[in-house]
Amino acid sequence: MVQDLAVEMEELLFQKVMQTEPGGFDLDLGLDASASGWARSLLRAGSLSMLRNIRTRTTAKMTLVDPSPMRQWQDDGVYANSYSAFHNAASVDRTDPAHISQTMEDAADWLRSKTRHLRDSSKLAAQAATIMHGYGVPALVRPQIMERKRLKALVDAEPGLAHRSIAAMRSLIEGEPFEAIDEGLMALWDDYSFDQIDTITRAAPRVAGVLVDSVLADRARPSRTVLRSFRASVRAMGKGRGWARLAEETCEAFIALEFEAYSSFDTTGADYRDERVAGRRIAILKAPDVFARALAFKGQRLGLNEADMYEQLDRLIRSLTDVEVKVPDAA
């Protein structure tokens, strides 16, 4: 498996380094940034999909998590930090019924306290946060907008498909026969360990449904204060004449790709809302060109390729908008 993965990674690196169109390795930007950092980011983003493809081709039985630390020791005898961090969430003992019950109760109480202040996408995000807190699982892998629309149409047309996708993922890992499910849906669970997949598979089908619905939905429109902070953060990621204007365009494109056109609490008339929806469509169409110009700008520090830049923008906005379940301490 390791050898197959290494071959896949070498091929991806070669393809991206030789690629001349946008999305490949930019030699000019490489003069001012770390090439190894770019490669690390690229391979980290693609490794889970590569593993899934390898498993699908070979139909070999394996688990996503090897509990044995023997393979994770570095040459100098130090335990790999990345492996430790990956298993950090699973290291908590969640088998104690009292612990599980209390966690679920705390999460449910938090959600009830927030429900009356939330609408539409924000309510769905809070429900998903509650599930993630209660079950101790991470967020799903979020596809970009066109893939989200495609997968959302599949899920809306076929109730129960979300739960069947994670059940199929579990069967695939276990080497058991499994129902043929759209690969894009199965890829949503790439960041889950086997134990986490097993936990959500055994839960009520609606649990997987909420997690999938939330990750495929447009995110709730941020407040003006949050948007101002986001724009300031992006402007700080570059310098030079013309960067401030281009940073503003980059923010507008990213917000259009990820968020609703207007807030659910917006009380303005239908004409204004139609105008915002139309503006979002235009921004989405312009996004590839805007991102290409941002990547080519000398002095920007958002990334060396579009995937890297998108991830950076996402981290910046999530630091301002992510829903976090906060429960009182036991004391």
Side-chain angles (χ1 to χ4, degrees):
M1 181 65 68
V2 171
Q3 290 173 347
D4 288 345
L5 182 60
V7 170
E8 294 260 354
M9 287 182 166
E10 287 175 0
E11 290 178 354
L12 178 60
L13 277 177
F14 180 80
Q15 174 190 341
K16 289 297 183 180
V17 169
M18 299 302 293
Q19 183 175 325
T20 55
E21 61 268 19
F25 180 68
D26 190 318
L27 293 176
D28 291 330
L29 288 176
L31 295 174
D32 301 316
S34 168
S36 60
W38 166 81
R40 188 181 303 111
S41 176
L42 174 68
L43 297 179
R44 183 185 294 119
S47 61
L48 289 170
S49 295
M50 293 177 191
L51 281 170
R52 188 183 65 256
N53 293 339
I54 293 170
R55 288 194 298 271
T56 302
R57 288 198 305 267
T58 62
T59 64
K61 179 178 180 179
M62 67 167 288
T63 60
L64 285 176
V65 177
D66 181 355
S68 169
M70 293 298 292
R71 301 178 187 175
Q72 304 303 327
W73 287 89
Q74 298 172 340
D75 293 339
D76 57 0
V78 178
Y79 195 65
N81 290 333
S82 60
Y83 184 83
S84 177
F86 180 80
H87 286 271
N88 191 41
S91 65
V92 179
D93 180 13
R94 305 189 60 82
T95 60
D96 180 9
H99 170 76
I100 295 173
S101 176
Q102 186 60 52
T103 302
M104 293 290 187
E105 185 177 337
D106 288 343
D109 286 344
W110 175 87
L111 181 61
R112 280 192 290 268
S113 71
K114 298 293 181 182
T115 299
R116 64 176 180 169
H117 305 293
L118 303 171
R119 297 183 188 177
D120 304 338
S121 293
S122 58
K123 181 179 292 186
L124 186 58
Q127 291 171 339
T130 301
I131 289 172
M132 288 186 284
H133 178 85
Y135 286 95
V137 296
L140 275 64
V141 176
R142 182 173 174 84
Q144 293 197 14
I145 187 166
M146 296 311 296
E147 179 70 351
R148 292 202 306 272
K149 287 183 176 181
R150 185 184 73 82
L151 295 178
K152 189 175 187 306
L154 294 178
V155 172
D156 289 348
E158 199 169 344
L161 185 59
H163 183 262
R164 283 159 45 207
S165 70
I166 192 171
M169 186 67 131
R170 185 189 185 284
S171 297
L172 173 62
I173 296 167
E174 286 286 72
E176 301 169 350
F178 60 93
E179 177 187 2
I181 298 290
D182 186 281
E183 186 175 326
L185 278 174
M186 294 179 68
L188 299 179
W189 307 99
D190 273 349
D191 283 353
Y192 276 45
S193 69
F194 175 76
D195 287 344
Q196 291 165 341
I197 288 175
D198 185 60
T199 296
I200 301 302
T201 302
R202 296 177 187 278
R206 182 57 184 150
V207 170
V210 169
L211 292 174
V212 170
D213 286 345
S214 176
V215 82
L216 297 182
D218 289 336
R219 288 142 79 174
R221 184 81 180 178
S223 67
R224 291 186 178 90
T225 301
V226 167
L227 290 177
R228 279 197 298 271
S229 298
F230 176 58
R231 291 182 177 112
S233 298
V234 175
R235 283 197 301 272
M237 297 298 291
K239 59 183 179 179
R241 183 177 181 182
W243 172 249
R245 181 183 180 87
L246 183 53
E248 182 74 19
E249 291 183 67
T250 302
C251 291
E252 182 181 353
F254 180 80
I255 293 297
L257 289 167
E258 285 291 317
F259 293 88
E260 297 170 324
Y262 54 85
S263 169
S264 299
F265 292 92
D266 195 339
T267 58
T268 54
D271 290 344
Y272 175 79
R273 293 187 176 187
D274 290 344
E275 180 181 330
R276 294 300 298 271
V277 170
R280 184 192 181 199
R281 289 174 181 161
I282 294 171
I284 289 173
L285 291 174
K286 291 167 59 179
D289 173 68
V290 172
F291 288 164
R293 287 190 284 118
L295 285 170
F297 191 91
K298 301 291 185 182
Q300 64 86 11
R301 301 190 307 278
L302 287 174
L304 294 173
N305 56 62
E306 185 171 324
D308 195 21
M309 182 177 71
Y310 204 94
E311 183 181 346
Q312 176 74 282
L313 293 169
D314 192 54
R315 280 198 297 268
L316 291 173
I317 196 67
R318 282 189 182 280
S319 69
L320 301 168
T321 60
D322 258 3
V323 178
E324 181 182 358
V325 176
K326 295 182 179 180
V327 296
D329 295 333

